[in-house]
Amino acid sequence: MKRVFLTGAALMVLFQLRAQDIPVDSTGYKSRKLKVEEVNLVSSYYTQNGDHSAVTGGIGTQKLTDIANTIDVKMVKYGQTGIKHTFDIEAGIDHYTSASSDMIDLSANSSASSSDNRFYPSLTYLRENELKGQTLGIGVSSSTEFDYQSFGGNISFSQKTKDRNGEFSARFQTFIDQLKLVKPDELRPGGEGYGSAGRNTFAGTLSYSQIINQRLQVLLVGDLISQNGYLSLPFHRVYFSDGTVHQEKMPDTRFKIPIGIRASYFMGDNIIIRAYYRYYTDSWDLKAHTADLEIPVKITQAFSLSPFYRYYSQSAAKYFKPYGGHSQSDEFYTSNYDLSKFNSSFVGMGLKLTPPDGIFGLKHWNTLEIRYGHYTRSNDLTSDIVSINIKYR
């Protein structure tokens, strides 16, 4: 929080302006030059293993590793009319290796997707009228890897209530994707090349947040998501009961409706209880429940711990059957265990350091956060992730 010191002359001007009923900016001078407000450097390492790879029809290794690095730079300036302009620039790159993708070509036991890099930049612009409590936003993004190209765009609007205790937000997003149709080798007659197909996603989000009292804040959020186009994954095999192998086939439309509630309760100055629940349903008859709890605890002024736990449960999509379970009478079919019935747990701990002299004595690098989580799923998938976030402000 910035402290403002007023001289006697400044106080006289302030009183005169108030006497004339002219709105006054009481937060002090705000720079009209574009300046860096915050930088976040995030790195993570993810590893998983399991026995239900969709590439080999619902059986086989799901071993995968992913190393991700992102940089997020937020810049702010104020216009002559007092409007706040925020530019958020983010760029990320992942490198992954996947044993299951290595089985796309069974004969050579090697494929172009056994390892890959993904690059995903984004740019967001926010225009905030602090006097009216109103914010408008627009953003663009892209994601590129060997067999997938995605372009995204979004617009948003938020309005605070008169007492500033509530805020309504609306957001619309779209993603226009193009996929290379990398089929399993035995389903590529004559060594044919890769075709391509499109996929479009449109998502609308409405949310409302409210400060109930000094201790309790609540957020309600709902989404409506529509997808159309090629919604299968071309390198997923499906083995039928007669022993034949097929390429995964799914409907070309899908509607998703998630709704959720989030609450934060402040227990004094040192403990916060953050709870979240979400219900999800879609047109493929998949239904899911998510419950999440995180309790940040401030140990000292500069050190805090945040244990967290998430429980998730879902029903199977109506098009899912395990290896050898489908028949020729099925119109759509998949053996992707992400669409099977399962429940999962994700448990971990976050550690946050905010030393007054900065990280390693570097004053503006004022926050270091490390998080670790362990994930287990009832259909034999396990994973671990560790991430490090360093913040400049």
Side-chain angles (χ1 to χ4, degrees), residues 2 5 15 37 45 99 170 178 191 197 226 246 249 283 287 326 329 355 364 374 380 385-386 390:
K2 293 183 179 179
F5 299 92
F15 292 149
E37 182 180 68
Y45 175 77
Q178 197 71 22
S226 173
H246 301 260
K249 182 182 179 183
S283 59
K287 303 182 187 305
H326 285 285
S329 62
H364 288 289
H374 177 69
D380 300 324
I385 184 170
V386 59
I390 301 177

Side-chain angles (χ1 to χ4, degrees), residues 263-316:
S264 297
Y265 184 77
F266 297 81
M267 297 181 61
D269 296 330
N270 297 325
I271 300 177
I272 305 173
I273 299 176
R274 294 173 178 157
Y276 173 72
Y277 170 77
R278 188 188 78 158
Y279 173 74
Y280 169 94
T281 184
D282 67 23
S283 59
W284 292 1
D285 282 359
L286 193 153
K287 303 182 187 305
H289 302 270
T290 305
D292 186 279
L293 182 65
E294 182 168 0
I295 306 177
V297 179
K298 183 181 288 187
I299 307 300
T300 69
Q301 192 65 28
F303 174 64
S304 63
L305 293 174
S306 300
F308 59 85
Y309 176 75
R310 184 180 71 222
Y311 177 79
Y312 175 84
S313 176
Q314 75 172 38
S315 63

Side-chain angles (χ1 to χ4, degrees), residues 31 36 43 73 122 141 168 210 227 238 285 338 345 367 370:
S31 174
V36 174
S43 294
V73 180
S122 66
S141 64
F168 167 80
Q210 179 67 44
Q227 291 183 295
V238 179
D285 282 359
D338 288 344
S345 294
T367 303
I370 302 173

